[in-house]
Amino acid sequence: MSDTQSPEDKKPAPQIDLERLSLVAIATHNMALILDASGFIQWVNPSFEEHTGHQLEDVAGARPRDILYGPTTDPETVRRIDCKFHRAEQFEEDILLFTRSGAPFWVHVYCVPTGAEQGVKPGFIVIMNNISDRKQGERGLRIAASVFDRSHEAIIITDHNNCIVDVNPAFSRITGYSRSDVLGLNPSILSSGRHSQAYYRAMWQSIEKTDHWRGEIWNRRKNGEEFIELQSISRIHLDEPGSYYHVASFTDITALKNHAKELDRVANYDELTGLPNRQQLEDRLRRARAQADLHEQNLAVCYLDLDGFKVINDSFGETAGNQMLCTLAGRLAKALRSGDTVARLGGDEFGLILQGDNNNAVYDRILSIINEPLDPGTGTGPISLTASLGITRYPADNSDAEGLIRHADQAMYSAKEKGRNLLHFFDPELNEHRQQRREQLTEITRALENQEFELYFQPQVRIAGCKVVGFEALIRWNHPHRGLLYPDAFLPTLANSHLEVPLGQWVLKEAIHQMNLWQTAGEDLSVSINISAQHLMDRSFTGFLESYLHSHPDVKPSQITLEVLESTALDDIRLAGNVLARCQELGFQIALDDFGTGFASLTYMRTLPVDQVKIDKSFVSNMLDDGNDRAIVESVIFLGQRFAHPIVAEGVETMEHIRALHQLGCDYIQGYGIARPMPASKISGWLNEWRKEKARKNIQELPHAGKAGVANASEAYRTANDNDAGPAL
């Protein structure tokens, strides 16, 4: 039987009815259109409606260009399509169209003219296939290729065997290797040999674990020059299992690293000497503190300043001075132990960090190095320098890095004040005291501004006649947080400060103002006001008194007693005498307060113009039990009588004190036995009670009144203030 069939044996192709064929146009995902001979739409399939959003009834009779073209449809493609339509020719084109909502999409258009040859009316059949995804992919490939070729970063692509399959032009520019030089080779041809095998193992472990690695790596160019690069490696997996590529990109950061090193040198090192600068010293000190804490060790921070180096610069010139600084810097650096630091802080100042506890020998060596002769190079021969060295020790001084340097600087100035070529240790406790004093002075400044101070008044009584002759003004501080403060809580801080005069002026003004108020109320009372030595010696003191009295003409200066502490040192006793004499000329009374507690009692009594003497309360309080104190009180009273100065005894607490003082010839008394200090608002009431009691008992002299009489008279003002022994201003 023959393997071939004759034409007669072939079966005719089955005939497909037109309805079934039309289903193809309806079912296909391609867009189908039927146009008449003029290019107007006669029919579109459902896929066209789905893709474009246009329904057949809406587009029938319209041209495709009127409903599908948009602002970015390529005009040249449109021109070619129009030409083909005009010639009734078959064509294929890719063109960007737009949906009814304005969304763009790419299609491949295949158009076939129809007519008599097919046994139908003339027209066109158009088939459009959506190729947006393909176009997007092609666009991505073009962009990727452009990035690959134009990137300033070098790019290497290797296969799963780590053989190079492609490199970009930037790779050749950076490494010097052409593409043909490296295809098929391992990237290890670039290795500089600087990194260990462990470094590369860690890199590949990261790639195996995370599909990525990034870091800095040293490599070598084709010409042998080493360079440092910032490299990123990614593993790209393909669809096939176990199939992947490596893509590495890197940038040459050699110039950047060199620039960073130069910036670090400028930022952290002294340009002249090459030593670390202050910033670097602080950074190292912070690390040294941390290490000292960790290992429980000590540090010494030193601040060294050359004595009189400005004279060297002025005498030999800046160039010679700079050369000497460089020489000294080198000597200091060589003299230090491993782990120690010397830095130039500016000018002729150096800072040092010394490890350990026993650095006394190092301190001596540092000063000796400075003392070694130096030749300024001007032909004048060698000269010798000295330095002042300030030292603070950590953790005894538990400050931060900046604080330690500042404290060493303070100690250096103390060494310089003592002389040349000396060292001085910073005292943290003394510094804390000074800091507390600064803080309290700030508080006192605020208190003056906020009117937190108030004057209390303690009566002074003449024994003969039992008459209240005046009051001593005593300052109090109504502290917003600590309550009422007595003078001993803040006056020691005030001593020799810039606030001593302003606060003294406030007391004077307030006391005189209160005298004015009493005088208006019909009370003719005298006031004693304490004056500190600094306030007294202030050049504006007498002028201030004159000015304030001028503004209060009703106040009599003779009713104001200025009390000068005998225990206060007056540096210029002649000037002090002149000031007090001027005060007497103005009509003021002068009292020598706390007499017997200083070192120049007799000198002050003989030299200063004094109207009154006040015996210190420490002698009066103990005179009943201590024969020495009684003898001192008796001697002071005797001296007062000889110099014709009335005597006021402070610290009178009992009737026995009063009797004893009266027997010794004392004129006036003051103390808790009469009354405690009281606010100005209480004075009037207390005076009324005193006078009533005096009139009721017909008291002529306190020694005859009896203890009960004094107690009753002063009962008008008994407070719970049990500690009022602080100094008065």
Side-chain angles (χ1 to χ4, degrees), residues 108-341:
H108 177 75
V109 179
Y110 177 67
C111 180
V112 179
T114 59
E117 185 178 344
Q118 289 82 19
V120 296
K121 293 180 179 180
F124 301 90
I125 295 176
V126 180
I127 305 298
M128 297 193 301
N129 180 28
N130 191 328
I131 59 171
S132 295
D133 290 342
R134 191 194 81 193
K135 284 290 185 177
Q136 188 65 29
E138 291 174 354
R139 180 173 178 271
L141 290 175
R142 286 196 301 274
I143 292 174
S146 177
V147 170
F148 186 79
D149 290 337
R150 300 184 183 185
S151 173
H152 289 284
E153 291 188 354
I155 300 174
I156 311 173
I157 301 175
T158 65
D159 60 18
H160 65 280
N161 293 318
N162 206 30
C163 294
I164 298 174
V165 297
D166 205 356
V167 296
N168 70 341
F171 171 89
S172 299
R173 174 175 52 79
I174 293 174
T175 66
Y177 288 99
S178 67
R179 183 172 181 273
S180 60
D181 289 339
V182 298
L183 288 181
L185 300 181
N186 192 291
S188 62
I189 61 167
L190 300 173
S191 176
S192 66
R194 284 199 180 203
H195 302 288
S196 65
Q197 290 301 315
Y199 182 87
Y200 290 109
R201 279 198 301 272
M203 180 183 75
W204 281 108
Q205 286 172 359
S206 175
I207 294 172
E208 292 290 342
K209 185 177 180 180
T210 67
D211 289 339
H212 183 74
W213 178 86
R214 180 178 175 84
E216 294 180 1
I217 191 168
W218 281 93
N219 274 333
R220 192 184 303 275
R221 307 186 207 275
K222 187 176 182 179
N223 62 8
E225 177 187 354
E226 291 184 349
F227 68 101
I228 186 170
E229 62 187 48
L230 179 61
Q231 187 174 75
S232 178
I233 303 174
S234 296
R235 176 172 286 183
I236 310 300
H237 293 273
L238 303 181
D239 293 337
E240 298 85 355
S243 181
Y244 56 81
Y245 286 85
H246 294 117
V247 178
S249 61
F250 62 83
T251 302
D252 183 354
I253 59 173
T254 308
L256 186 62
K257 284 288 186 179
N258 291 337
H259 183 60
K261 183 184 292 186
E262 178 63 18
L263 288 178
D264 178 70
R265 187 191 67 78
V266 172
N268 295 297
Y269 291 87
D270 176 55
E271 185 175 358
L272 176 64
T273 63
L275 294 177
N277 60 12
R278 178 183 286 270
Q279 178 173 305
Q280 179 72 348
L281 181 71
E282 290 180 1
D283 185 58
R284 292 189 183 184
L285 184 51
R286 279 188 282 270
R287 294 199 297 267
R289 285 176 76 255
Q291 287 298 312
D293 292 340
L294 181 64
H295 300 292
E296 297 183 351
Q297 296 176 340
N298 296 336
L299 292 174
V301 180
C302 307
Y303 203 107
L304 183 143
D305 179 82
L306 300 178
D307 296 324
F309 194 75
K310 183 178 184 300
V311 178
I312 301 296
N313 272 335
D314 294 342
S315 302
F316 301 105
E318 187 177 345
T319 301
N322 287 344
Q323 183 58 46
M324 295 173 74
L325 287 173
C326 290
T327 303
L328 287 174
R331 291 179 181 178
L332 288 170
K334 289 180 181 178
L336 296 185
R337 303 158 303 187
S338 175
D340 294 340
T341 295

Side-chain angles (χ1 to χ4, degrees), residues 354-497:
L354 306 179
Q355 307 283 343
D357 301 321
N358 301 317
N359 291 308
N360 292 334
V362 181
Y363 305 145
D364 294 337
R365 187 162 67 247
I366 290 170
L367 293 178
S368 298
I369 287 172
I370 302 300
N371 298 155
E372 292 176 8
L374 274 172
D375 189 350
T378 57
T380 57
I383 61 173
S384 295
L385 299 176
T386 61
S388 299
L389 185 64
I391 305 161
T392 189
R393 289 167 289 197
Y394 179 84
D397 178 2
N398 194 25
S399 304
D400 60 13
E402 292 181 6
L404 289 170
I405 295 173
R406 184 173 63 255
H407 293 165
D409 185 20
Q410 293 174 11
M412 180 273 294
Y413 277 105
S414 297
K416 198 174 284 289
E417 289 173 358
K418 294 191 295 185
R420 293 170 176 253
N421 206 37
L422 296 173
L423 57 84
H424 183 84
F425 289 93
F426 177 78
D427 186 343
E429 292 183 1
L430 178 60
N431 181 71
E432 184 178 358
H433 171 73
R434 289 172 176 169
Q435 178 64 27
Q436 290 174 351
R437 183 171 185 265
R438 285 192 293 269
E439 291 173 357
Q440 191 168 36
L441 286 175
T442 301
E443 273 199 293
I444 292 172
T445 301
R446 174 190 51 76
L448 274 171
E449 294 173 351
N450 296 341
Q451 300 180 344
E452 295 173 8
F453 291 106
E454 181 182 4
L455 288 186
Y456 275 47
F457 296 88
Q458 187 172 37
Q460 296 172 331
V461 175
R462 184 170 58 212
I463 296 178
C466 194
K467 181 182 179 182
V468 176
V469 294
F471 291 83
E472 180 179 3
L474 301 167
I475 193 169
R476 299 291 184 267
W477 182 0
N478 293 303
H479 196 283
H481 306 297
R482 297 166 60 191
L484 186 68
L485 299 183
Y486 291 88
D488 58 351
F490 57 91
L491 288 189
T493 300
L494 201 70
N496 300 315
S497 75

Side-chain angles (χ1 to χ4, degrees), residues 30 367 586 635:
N30 293 328
L367 293 178
L586 293 173
S635 299

